């Protein structure tokens, strides 16, 4: 053990390992400022485990030529970031103050940025979906696009949260994204950031008294918006419902589960299993809207939207139409570290009611019906959307 181990490190060890205990522990001598200090075995093991990190910090702070430029807080944050990144899961990250605040802002429903939800696919930083009405959508960025650079800086799948931070910013400021699209090549998109207000639910009555609801993502307001949309449509005596989850990147599990409860009969909506094998189950009651249902999905439907779609499929409560979904079957938890920072960590895998984990696989619809190639990169109105027309065709046969 390095004889220059500082007192503060020992104090940190005491705090981190929660050494307050009601039982006696064995003690060991540890080299300390040229002498020895008696510590508990737990504390000794902790210091031994992180000895190398302490030694490197000591070497750098005492040897670096521009010692006055050393920022100890940045070093600590860097060490924590590296420790979390070493897990190799792009969804498990340490969030600094800016990143943590931005994540909280997103779940509240408003933030400044370009309106892109990203994910990791085949080792690449991939656009899960542009947010409806955002600068990204207006510029023509699409689900499946691969982000190579942000403002000229190369970005990889391991940099998801860094990329999100770089793309967000003050309304009216500029950011340049370098995008690769299969069959189209590489293109730079110059975007002007805007205030992204997430109105996540919209509704309309289509032909033959069939209701239409589109959910663009799941945030704190989505369930209430969905309830209001259903109430509004039922007052117009709809006979069936098209639920559009295309390019829905997901969001809050609770919002997805609450909506599923309104659509499904009694039973299991979804369950998760954590690293200890603990199972947590979300269930629906017997009350539901009780009308024929068709759900539209595509490769941009991910996470919480896949939970909803998977439950509807397994219950046979509706017909899924479209293309295979994104395939994100992991659950993250955000832990507030009480100093303005946080950790987002993958805590479990989720499973559909029939026990399928769709991580990396996605959900295959009951009816595979892709958008025609000539329409894929174009804005298509609800009335002229081929997939919606297919959904209406299926619903009319059920009514």
């Amino acid at each position: 053990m390095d004889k220059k181990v500082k007192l503060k490190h020992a104090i940190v060890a005491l705090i981190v390992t929660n050494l307050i205990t009601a039982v006696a522990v064995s003690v060991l001598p540890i080299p300390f400022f040229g002498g020895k200090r008696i510590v508990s075995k737990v504390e000794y093991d902790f210091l031994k485990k992180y000895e190398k990190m302490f030694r490197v910090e000591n070497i750098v702070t005492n040897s670096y030529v521009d010692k006055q430029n050393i920022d100890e807080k940045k070093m600590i944050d860097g060490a924590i970031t590296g420790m979390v990144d070493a897990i190799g899961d792009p969804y498990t990250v340490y969030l600094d103050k800016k990143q943590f605040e931005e994540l909280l802002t997103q779940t509240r429903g408003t933030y400044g940025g370009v309106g892109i939800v990203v994910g990791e696919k085949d080792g690449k930083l991939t656009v899960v979906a542009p947010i409806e009405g955002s600068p990204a959508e207006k510029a023509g960025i699409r689900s499946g696009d691969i982000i190579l650079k942000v403002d000229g800086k190369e970005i990889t799948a391991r940099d998801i949260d860094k990329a999100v931070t770089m793309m967000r910013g003050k309304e009216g400021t500029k950011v340049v994204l370098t995008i690769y699209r299969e069959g189209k090549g590489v293109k730079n998109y110059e975007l002007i950031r805007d205030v992204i207000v997430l109105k996540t639910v919209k509704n309309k009555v289509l032909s033959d008294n069939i209701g239409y609801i589109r959910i663009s993502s799941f945030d704190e307001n989505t369930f209430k918006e969905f309830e209001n949309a259903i109430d509004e449509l039922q007052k117009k005596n709809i006979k069936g419902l098209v639920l559009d989850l295309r390019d829905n990147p997901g969001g809050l599990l609770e919002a997805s589960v609450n909506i599923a409860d309104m659509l499904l009969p009694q039973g299991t909506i979804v369950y998760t299993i954590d690293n200890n094998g603990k199972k947590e189950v979300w269930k629906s009651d017997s009350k539901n809207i009780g009308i024929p249902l068709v759900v539209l999905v595509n490769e941009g439907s991910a996470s919480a939207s896949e939970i909803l779609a998977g439950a509807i499929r397994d219950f046979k409560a509706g017909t899924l139409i479209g293309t295979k979904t994104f395939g994100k079957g992991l659950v993250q938890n955000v832990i507030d570290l009480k100093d303005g920072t946080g950790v987002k960590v993958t805590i479990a895998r989720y499973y559909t009611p029939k026990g399928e984990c769709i991580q990396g696989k996605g959900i295959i619809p009951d009816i595979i019906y892709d958008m025609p190639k000539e329409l894929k990169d174009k804005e298509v109105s609800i009335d002229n959307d081929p997939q919606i027309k297919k959904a209406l065709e299926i619903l009319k046969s059920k009514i």
Side-chain angles (χ1 to χ4, degrees), residues 76-132:
I76 293 172
D77 276 359
I80 297 171
T81 299
M83 176 174 62
V84 177
D85 285 351
I87 293 172
D89 174 18
Y91 302 108
T92 297
V93 291
Y94 169 68
L95 304 168
D96 62 25
K97 289 185 177 180
K98 183 178 180 181
Q99 292 168 331
F100 187 56
E101 177 58 31
E102 285 176 346
L103 180 63
L104 295 179
T105 299
Q106 184 179 4
T107 59
R108 294 180 193 120
T110 60
Y111 63 93
V114 297
I116 294 178
V117 177
V118 293
E120 182 272 338
K121 195 163 190 177
D122 299 327
K124 298 172 183 176
L125 186 64
T126 304
V127 176
V128 175
I131 292 169
E132 195 169 327

Side-chain angles (χ1 to χ4, degrees), residues 2-56:
D2 190 339
K3 293 185 178 182
K4 294 184 178 181
V5 172
K6 297 178 181 179
L7 176 61
K8 65 179 181 181
H9 294 144
I11 294 172
V12 168
L14 285 167
I15 295 173
V16 173
T17 54
N18 294 316
L19 295 177
I20 300 173
T21 178
V23 297
V25 294
S26 59
V27 294
L28 296 167
I30 185 171
F32 201 81
F33 289 121
K36 291 185 177 180
R37 174 179 175 271
I38 301 299
V39 297
S40 72
K41 184 179 185 306
V42 176
E43 183 182 10
Y44 177 86
D45 290 343
F46 177 87
L47 290 171
K48 189 68 178 174
K49 181 178 180 180
Y50 291 99
E51 174 188 7
K52 187 175 181 179
M53 185 176 71
F54 294 151
R55 289 183 63 194
V56 170

Side-chain angles (χ1 to χ4, degrees), residues 231-297:
D231 185 57
E232 184 178 331
L233 290 174
Q234 286 183 322
K235 286 178 180 177
K236 296 176 181 178
N237 299 313
I238 60 169
K239 298 177 182 178
L241 178 65
V242 177
L243 178 61
D244 192 346
L245 299 178
R246 292 174 298 177
D247 294 322
N248 181 323
L252 298 180
L253 171 65
E254 182 181 1
S256 175
V257 167
N258 287 339
I259 290 171
D261 187 24
M262 292 183 65
L263 301 174
L264 301 175
Q266 188 171 4
T268 295
I269 298 170
V270 65
Y271 66 90
T272 61
I273 298 178
D274 66 15
N275 61 352
N276 293 314
K278 180 182 177 182
K279 184 177 180 179
E280 188 170 2
V281 182
W282 286 262
K283 292 182 175 291
S284 55
D285 59 29
S286 58
K287 298 177 183 178
N288 60 77
I289 62 173
I291 58 175
L293 174 66
V294 167
V295 183
L296 297 178
V297 294

